[in-house]
Amino acid sequence: VQNSVLTPSGWSSVYPPLHTFALAAGSWLGAPWVVGPVAAATTAGFSALALARLFPGRPGMARVAAALVAVAPFAVFLAGTHLSHTTAAALCVVALWAALKARDEGARWSLLTGAAVGAFVCTRPWTGMALSAAIVLSVWGPGGAREGVSWSVRRAAGLAAGGSPFALLLLGWNQALFSSPFRLGYTAAFGPAHGLGFHADPWGNAYGLREALGHTGADLVQLGLALFESPLPALALVGLALALAPRLPEGSATLLAWALAGVGANALYWHHGLHMGPRLLYETAPAWVALWVVGAGTLGASGSGLPTRVRRGVAWAAILSLGAGAVLAPGKALSFGTAPGPV
């Protein structure tokens, strides 16, 4: 797969500008490898801040979830690459935190929300739009219904103002390099068959509803195993909580909207990358980790209304999942290593 394309302005990356700029900054510092770890650290830090606001009445649950976001093997392994997913995940979590600040502390924070969303879209456009819409609507929707139209309008105006510079950057970048503000580098390199939807991919392979369901199901199975690098599928526990828990803590709806928006967006895209796991779902990883903690905590709680044997089974499944991941993850990390090349 080619990652660059010859344009009238010269050779260009096919990717949108923000992550390219980040790698350029890292190269200027002599350490482009640092971009991924810094992005992962940003994701973990802002996840802690955001989860504390999502679950104000359950600080312990929020802290456990934030700690697991920081050390989950799926997050750590991808942070060792040059992939744009790391930058995108960091900006996604910053957007969530800023949206929560705008909900709780005033519309001025919607400017930062818009800037984070705009930067997210400038890193991975389709994922940025889909996940940002799910997060912002789930965070601001109840407040708007409760506080009225003016409350929503002020935040929407701030969102637009904060995101506009990044929109202009992306549109100008596309116009300068690919001859149209709405033509991305992917299309310039591969043609219209690279676009979203059900059609033949650039190599002529069919991608329809059946393929979308098959690939998306495989993505979720892979994510369940790769999230903690455990043979006990993490997403199965999330599904069990959705099916059995009488009520999940307030804030869970935002996590679920975030996680499922990524799954739905990826289902409409013919390319499903499996580099160190389902990498196209990387931006949803903090949401899935937090949902796993919420599910384990809710089902295992004495007040869940479930039989004692079920609660004990959930507790042991959670313990064994994390324990198995701690044992197996180092070996998986070593498998990604490469032998030193000739000097």
Side-chain angles (χ1 to χ4, degrees):
V1 175
Q2 68 185 76
N3 294 312
S4 60
V5 60
L6 182 60
T7 75
S9 301
W11 282 104
S12 168
S13 167
V14 301
Y15 301 105
L18 249 292
H19 187 66
T20 302
F21 292 170
L23 290 176
S27 297
W28 182 73
L29 294 172
W33 59 267
V34 82
V35 173
V38 167
T42 302
T43 301
F46 278 92
S47 291
L49 296 173
L51 289 169
R53 287 182 175 272
L54 270 179
F55 302 107
R58 299 177 182 243
M61 178 182 288
R63 289 167 186 159
V64 170
L68 288 180
V69 169
V71 301
F74 182 52
V76 173
F77 294 159
L78 265 291
T81 71
H82 290 113
L83 295 171
S84 62
H85 301 283
T86 54
T87 300
L91 293 167
C92 180
V93 176
V94 172
L96 170 61
W97 172 75
L100 290 165
K101 293 276 281 186
R103 180 196 68 181
D104 300 336
E105 298 182 13
R108 66 186 184 279
W109 286 99
S110 61
L111 285 167
L112 179 58
T113 308
V117 169
F120 186 9
V121 173
C122 275
T123 305
R124 296 195 66 82
W126 175 233
T127 305
M129 289 188 289
L131 271 61
S132 296
I135 288 170
V136 170
L137 289 174
S138 67
V139 171
W140 291 353
R146 184 176 59 254
E147 302 293 339
V149 174
S150 62
W151 189 96
S152 300
V153 168
R154 289 196 302 273
R155 281 154 182 80
L159 182 76
S164 292
F166 294 94
L168 293 174
L169 168 63
L170 181 59
L171 296 175
W173 174 273
N174 292 339
Q175 177 65 49
L177 294 175
F178 311 124
S179 304
S180 169
F182 302 106
R183 190 184 192 212
L184 296 171
Y186 312 112
T187 304
F190 296 97
H194 197 287
L196 299 169
F198 300 146
H199 52 69
D201 71 16
W203 290 271
N205 303 303
Y207 187 76
L209 181 60
R210 181 177 64 177
E211 288 77 15
L213 290 172
H215 283 293
T216 302
D219 289 344
L220 291 172
V221 170
Q222 290 282 343
L223 182 63
L225 300 174
L227 200 59
F228 299 129
E229 207 55 50
S230 168
L232 295 175
L235 268 59
L237 193 149
V238 175
L240 195 65
L242 292 173
L244 298 182
R247 182 181 178 86
L248 293 177
E250 187 177 356
S252 302
T254 293
L255 296 177
L256 194 60
W258 174 7
L260 294 181
V263 174
N266 201 36
L268 294 175
Y269 185 33
W270 58 271
H271 181 58
H272 293 251
L274 287 175
H275 181 58
M276 300 183 178
R279 64 178 178 85
L280 293 180
L281 293 179
Y282 184 80
E283 295 89 335
T284 68
W288 287 113
V289 169
L291 283 169
W292 184 87
V293 173
V294 168
T298 302
L299 293 177
S302 57
S304 66
L306 297 174
T308 301
R309 64 180 181 276
V310 174
R311 292 189 286 106
R312 288 177 178 171
V314 169
W316 275 110
I319 292 169
L320 292 173
S321 183
L322 296 180
V327 171
L328 297 174
K332 187 63 173 289
L334 291 174
S335 74
F336 295 136
T338 56
V343 177

